[in-house]
Amino acid sequence: MTLVEPLYAEILRRNRGEHEFHQAVREVLETLDPVLERRPELVDARIVERLCEPERQIAFRVPWTDDSGDIHVNRGFRVEFSSVLGPYKGGLRFHPSVNLGIVKFLGFEQIFKNALTGMPIGGGKGGADFDPKGRSDAEIMRFCQSFMTELHRHIGEYTDVPAGDIGVGGREIGYLFGQYRRITNRHESGVLTGKGVTWGGSQARTEATGYGCVLFTAEMLRSRGESLDGQTLAVSGSGNVAIYAIEKAQQLGATVVTCSDSDGYVVDEKGIDLALLKEIKEVRRGRISEYAERRGARFVPGTAEAVRVFQEAGVAFAPGKAANAGGVATSALEMQQNASRDSWTFAYTEERLARIMRHIHDSCYATAERYGAPGNYVVGANIAGFELVADAMLAQGLI
Ligand code: GLU
């Protein structure tokens, strides 16, 4: 990263201690030399410097009471990174690890991910250092209401459209939307995505991230003349993304033999029993070890070794910003339905999602070829996303 080395040093200096953000910026900048060499106008316009500085960063206090009446104080964030392609768009994460550096890392990635979808959405991310584990429904509701009491003044269908992420699912979006509606006295469906389907949500949004990931994998295989049919697959995780990745993989004829949670993973050579997995994870909010007990499958503690084994075997690698863009892309479809006060069928929405995943794949693939890195989806995704954002920034002047 010769051209961007001095910029990176400046980013380290100005964003001290934000390790995850440094890492995210580094991973993108590392791949940008070829495009900056070919297009000096982007260097002259200081596009990279501008992109690495969020348009706006909001941090706020979130006070709430638990069921025993004790008071807690958490910290909420919304980083509005780039609105050059559309309203800020990205999820809210509720997890004890959340801090400004993590939200900036996720928000930075979101700019490129959202650009890749080809939909009119900018990049943003938010959340709180709140730990939902073990909290009652009533506690979750009070927390969401307190969080939205501050957040509502910063968001809107043309400004910033949050959604779910880790720790924020349909239940939390419901409480957040209710509080927004109450404070603003507006039933503004387009202000949040991931809503329930009877009150402005989109069909297939729940399934979209997992489906999208498998559809992207199917496209990668197609580009090598292969398909998922008859393949054996390892899936990690067992939350919303993993469950619907397994569902789509099974529909496309693959046998999925693993899934995991933070305690370890199961190996079920007969193929994962999806109905049982859904019952344990979606209905009972249980642990994956229960699955192993019920099916007599193997349960093993996870290791970092696996990543190295994959890399050494030269397995094709899809970066998160391309492979998991199906969720946010379907959020953009939800915004479209809200704007036109319409709701589409599952089949039509899924068809649109499949087209978007193919578009993302093809533009990553073609961009990697164009910049001399054939088959490198990391380079392809970063440059394709960057060029879309950079060209819009050039067109819209020094903002
Ligand atoms: N949290 C998901 C993501 O990071 C979805 C965001 C959204 O739907 O706005 O892409």
Side-chain angles (χ1 to χ4, degrees), residues 89-142:
K89 183 84 197 83
L92 298 170
R93 177 171 295 190
F94 290 171
H95 193 271
S97 66
V98 167
N99 57 39
L100 185 62
I102 292 206
V103 179
K104 281 171 71 176
F105 140 55
L106 296 167
F108 185 72
E109 289 271 298
Q110 199 85 36
I111 306 172
F112 306 101
K113 182 199 302 194
N114 293 4
L116 283 173
T117 66
M119 308 293 289
I121 42 179
K125 199 85 183 192
D129 61 352
F130 166 71
D131 189 358
K133 237 187 215 164
R135 290 292 172 196
S136 69
D137 253 6
E139 289 174 321
I140 298 284
M141 181 175 76
R142 285 196 296 276

Side-chain angles (χ1 to χ4, degrees), residues 89-91 110 113 125 161 163-165 193 205 324 327-328 331:
K89 183 84 197 83
Q110 199 85 36
K113 182 199 302 194
K125 199 85 183 192
V161 183
D165 196 80
T193 61
R205 176 64 188 87
N324 74 29
V328 76
S331 277

Side-chain angles (χ1 to χ4, degrees), residues 200-201 333-334 336-344:
L333 300 177
E334 182 172 334
Q336 259 187 40
Q337 293 168 75
N338 295 153
S340 57
R341 300 187 187 283
D342 197 2
S343 56
W344 307 338

